[in-house]
């Protein structure tokens, strides 16, 4: 039986994402207090994989995940899940809105209800909760330093709390993308499906001001479609950034392989974060896997084209 | 007398940044509970300008500031200040490290001491404090929901707290960049100095997958050096990003003006966030203004070159 | 009455091109022995304009024209005409194919019948005739140093020669493009029609190895479609080239004007060779003017877009 | 003993170029009447290689050579020679300048003395001679249809003609580049030296307006320096061009191989015209081989970088 870590406690969106994966069937699910803790279980070999949030349609990249994956012992993404995000304000029985002075929320949740809270609870202080579920569970086990929590509907139900307000996200249609992370080379590393995504981090070396332009051209010229690029500070001073990138295609696609090698040659470091099947596109709940459309490959960039070019080149060499 | 807003309470790095500006001399400084609150004072006309953090060498862009400036009533940056960031763990007299169960910290401070806290206070919960100073002041006024705070040395001193540990940032040499923000068109909008920076946000329209490459080429082809680019979600679904950009040069530089107009023509929207003198480069404390080196302009991209090209073009037209 | 020069004598494709122009009606047509001679008449003011060949679908750019226009007193193109090219082998009465030892042909004509001559007159020497008409006329006036000529059908008819073989071009469908050239600033310089072409020559300075890439990007980024680019030696040693370019659009189009100014700023020299209406596309004979399709302008690059961007930029400046 | 073809008769610059090659020692040199004739001997297997002019510092690319190499049975360039070009006007004894009515000259020679002839022999007609030597030799064997010839000094000497004027080229310092051409795969195909050049022709397919920009980016992005690019008409109508390209490096350089394969994938056809040692740079006469500087390879594009990137990529794949 496999062990799968996730950001707990029970009731988080992360758990919901994990439950949408086939790997979760029959597995032991291990709730962790933080993203680094979940990843560390995988790095130590205590867990086989971990589910963590990586991107929010409202807040953008999840910094802690991006930074943890970009450094330390390498891990690779083996799958992704998109989960629709809806929030409610929950409180123990008997607590009314007028009594709420402090609100527990995970910072990303807090960001997504910022305007609602400012308008409806103008005097309340938002307190950092370690997860979207803990903001609810702590109200039950007595450890909460807040009066009410911003939580997923699932958490409200599971911890039997009163829903003071539902659907309170500032923006409707919010989605969070989660990734399942495993050690590189493990049995869980997925084969090419034709509808894949590849993630990587590129570290420019010194004196490489034009590198971002070169990176984009490296992808474009080989017909590889980039779907996300974010700059993250390397921590070595203002203006020192690395680039976290998602592109369509798989390490086993010739056009992706050549792009990766090109980046490896021209930057200080490239960290490969995995090739894995794309999510179906729409947000997925359990039981709605769908089937993502195959990646569209521009003319001249398919594996056959690479093979034909190689054969042509080999034929040019004099047979000595 | 002018009124200048900042993220309070007294003792924050933001206040320190504000005090480094000439505008602060003789001004009334207004502490605000949040970044949006400080900006709203300016938007309403209640304050003349506001100082807010925009970029951390450790955490990257300050999302709330980037997002607030990118939307709503337009504001422009009129100056920037870089402040070295050092943290200490402070507590009321009589509280020792072993008694610390909860630590109050602003999320950006929390991120910068994450590893230190994990190693030295493994059982402590980090609680969201509204600012680096509030994490300290709340310990004094009794409103703290935490036992100890992560604060600036200045705050420790000002609130007469015990420093349990100093210099606890995970990365030495951290710097935060602050910007002074004012209404566009106001008397505070700075003239060109020759060592300027221009900030903007570009919103791609629909179906513009190659826009980022075009944006970079638009700058490069006109000899304008981009010093920061970050993608931020527009909130309209995964994969929908706008680009927050800093470039060298001033709106009054012909090469910058042409670049801005080019972006305006080819994207859905460009929001101009101001042209202002660059910080001296090293981190600045009060009294160390320094003098930044003039922007280096590649051959062919100076104002004289633009003027000569215009004169040449005008001469080509038949005089009818 | 205007005087128009052309490469003579009467009966050349150049004369045919000139007759297709409205300017030819009622004008005095002056036959010249060479392209430089025709251009010199315009430069001296003896002729108002000159018609010269500039591009052949078989041979490429007409070097003498390209080089003459790229140097010396500036001239501008005020119109273009495309003429279908068909050749026949002509001889005086009584001369049969078996008697042909030398064939007079203009070098460009010679190139277009090279394979036919090699196959059908394998022992004949091709002799340089100054024009496609002179290869025929010289057979009549007794100045020919050749037995038969490669000529236009029109010339055969006009000089009453026997057609030994017709339609002998190696490639069917050949077209030659001619341009009408006038002094810059003259009354003949054409106004914008919306279906225009602009010609120019760009001279890279020293140490500008990447300039060609920059030139192409300068056009592409401003939505200007380049329809011809040729490198021509500057005469200053192997590897020293200038670039002769035709692009869609008119000097009065904002996107073209900005592109021209950009090239002026970043290269050693730009020579403007005129903006003029495009030929209808198909080859034109007299009486088939046709009407070329208006230039398609990509989104964001129309004059209105440039004007809107300028207005936006002007609005960003503080009113002091 | 090998047989080497060249554009004859004896006394041409082409012969001079051929004599500068080590292959010429002890070989039978076969004078041919035209460039196509010389190349055909190689294609038929009658000659082992042929020396032909490919580029003039005054006239640019030699169209007949470029077009012959771009089509028909493939041949490859196995070496290049640069020859300084100086011309004189030669005539049989007793013929003075005032008696010269016709001047025999190869068209490329004619182009290089065009202004001198116009100024000094304004009434003379220039007649097409098949080579720079034939313009002289024909004056001796009685086949000349001209009174005087434009010839190389060597030809004047060899045919014992009077030099009426020497050093008459319009531009001093002219150089012509010659290439030695052989069947692909033959024993003469040169190994990599580290100071090589690679020649090729790229045929865009239909609907590929941006291909030239892509071609340039393909080279630039892989650190391959392009030293010559010329457009040549494909003969399929105005505006249909192929691109004749010389770049630094050898087919066996990984960066060149990847560039070639990339062009093969994205264009309709690529014709490889050979990898061969670069000429020493200055113009070479017999006995001045010199030693060209090794090709400078930008960081990240050396063979070791390609090998390291490949090894890195292979290591990313899970070992199943």
């Amino acid at each position: 039986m496999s062990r799968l870590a996730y950001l707990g406690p029970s009731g988080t969106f992360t758990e919901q994402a994990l439950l949408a994966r086939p790997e979760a069937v029959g597995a032991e699910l291990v709730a962790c207090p933080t993203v680094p803790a979940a990843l560390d279980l995988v790095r130590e070999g205590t867990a086989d994989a971990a589910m963590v949030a990586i991107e929010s349609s409202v807040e953008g990249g999840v910094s802690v995940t991006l930074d943890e994956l970009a450094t330390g012992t390498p891990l690779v993404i083996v799958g992704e899940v998109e989960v629709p995000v809806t929030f409610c304000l929950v409180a123990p029985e008997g607590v009314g809105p007028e009594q709420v002075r402090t609100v527990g929320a995970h910072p990303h949740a807090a960001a997504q209800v910022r305007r609602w809270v400012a308008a409806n609870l103008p005097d309340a202080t938002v307190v950092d909760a370690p997860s979207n579920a803990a903001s609810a569970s702590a109200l039950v086990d007595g450890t909460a330093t807040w009066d009410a929590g911003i939580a997923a509907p699932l958490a409200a139900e599971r911890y039997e709390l009163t829903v003071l307000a539902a659907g309170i996200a500032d923006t409707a249609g919010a989605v969070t993308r989660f990734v399942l992370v495993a050690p590189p080379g493990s049995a869980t590393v997925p084969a090419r499906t034709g509808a894949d995504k590849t993630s990587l981090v590129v570290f420019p070396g010194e004196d490489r001001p034009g590198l971002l332009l070169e990176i984009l051209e490296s992808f474009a010229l080989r017909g590889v479609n980039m779907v996300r690029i974010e700059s993250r500070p390397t921590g070595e001073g203002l203006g020192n950034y690395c680039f976290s990138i998602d592109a369509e295609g798989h390490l086993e696609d010739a056009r992706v392989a050549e792009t990766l090698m090109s980046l490896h040659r021209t930057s200080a470091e490239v960290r490969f974060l995995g090739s894995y099947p794309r999510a179906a596109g729409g947000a997925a709940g359990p039981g709605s896997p769908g089937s993502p459309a195959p990646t569209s490959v521009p003319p001249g960039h398919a594996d056959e084209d690479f093979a034909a070019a190689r054969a042509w080149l080999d034929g040019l060499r004099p047979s000595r």
Side-chain angles (χ1 to χ4, degrees), chain A:
Chain A
M1 192 183 74
S2 67
R3 282 169 56 90
L4 303 176
Y6 71 99
L7 183 71
S10 185
T12 55
F13 288 115
T14 313
E15 187 193 26
Q16 182 178 336
L18 184 53
L19 291 171
R21 295 285 307 183
E23 292 91 338
V25 178
E28 178 188 358
L29 307 190
V30 184
C32 298
T34 63
V35 166
L39 297 177
D40 280 350
L41 285 192
V42 182
R43 283 178 166 134
E44 295 160 5
T46 312
D48 298 292
M51 182 67 79
V52 292
I54 197 164
E55 183 186 10
S56 148
S57 65
V58 175
E59 276 301 284
V62 178
S63 300
V64 62
T65 300
L66 293 173
D67 294 352
E68 283 288 325
L69 291 179
T71 55
T73 304
L75 293 171
V76 296
I77 299 169
V78 297
E80 66 174 3
V81 179
E82 296 177 3
V83 175
V85 171
T86 56
F87 291 108
C88 40
L89 181 69
V90 299
E93 206 181 338
V95 175
E98 66 290 348
Q99 291 156 282
V100 176
R101 291 284 170 278
T102 51
V103 176
H106 184 264
H108 275 91
Q112 295 181 49
V113 300
R114 195 190 295 151
R115 272 174 265 153
W116 188 91
V117 170
N120 295 279
L121 299 170
D123 302 325
T125 302
V126 175
V127 177
D128 197 3
S131 78
N132 286 315
S135 62
S137 65
L139 292 168
V140 174
D141 64 20
T143 62
T145 58
W146 49 84
D147 304 324
I150 304 293
L154 176 68
E157 186 187 320
R158 186 163 301 183
Y159 296 105
E160 298 179 4
L161 293 161
T162 307
V163 175
L164 299 183
I168 64 175
D170 295 335
T171 308
V175 175
T176 295
R177 191 163 66 89
F178 295 84
V179 289
L180 189 65
V181 170
S186 69
T188 47
V189 172
R192 173 161 69 160
T193 68
D196 307 291
K197 199 185 270 190
T198 292
S199 297
L200 59 149
V201 185
V202 181
F203 295 82
E206 307 207 7
D207 291 324
R208 296 288 285 129
L211 183 64
L212 180 54
L213 186 51
E214 265 188 52
I215 290 173
L216 298 187
E217 286 175 341
S218 290
F219 281 88
L221 206 64
R222 294 175 176 96
V224 180
N225 187 30
M226 184 184 287
V227 291
R228 183 185 60 85
I229 180 164
E230 281 183 86
S231 54
R232 287 296 306 155
T234 60
E236 286 162 27
L238 286 175
N240 286 291
Y241 285 92
C242 60
F243 301 105
S244 176
I245 295 169
D246 288 349
E248 288 184 344
H250 192 281
L251 172 64
E252 302 294 341
D253 291 326
R255 66 190 186 285
V256 173
E258 191 179 291
T259 304
L260 286 170
M261 289 190 289
S262 169
L263 298 173
H264 185 272
R265 289 189 288 106
T266 55
S267 63
E269 190 195 336
V270 179
R271 177 175 282 229
F272 174 70
L273 291 185
S275 290
Y276 48 92
R278 278 195 280 118
S288 68
S291 218
T295 301
S296 155
V297 182
H301 301 293
D303 280 10
E304 306 85 81
D305 301 310
F306 276 83
R310 168 65 65 186
W312 168 77
L313 188 84
D314 288 343
L316 297 180
R317 294 197 173 97
S319 48
R320 292 176 195 281

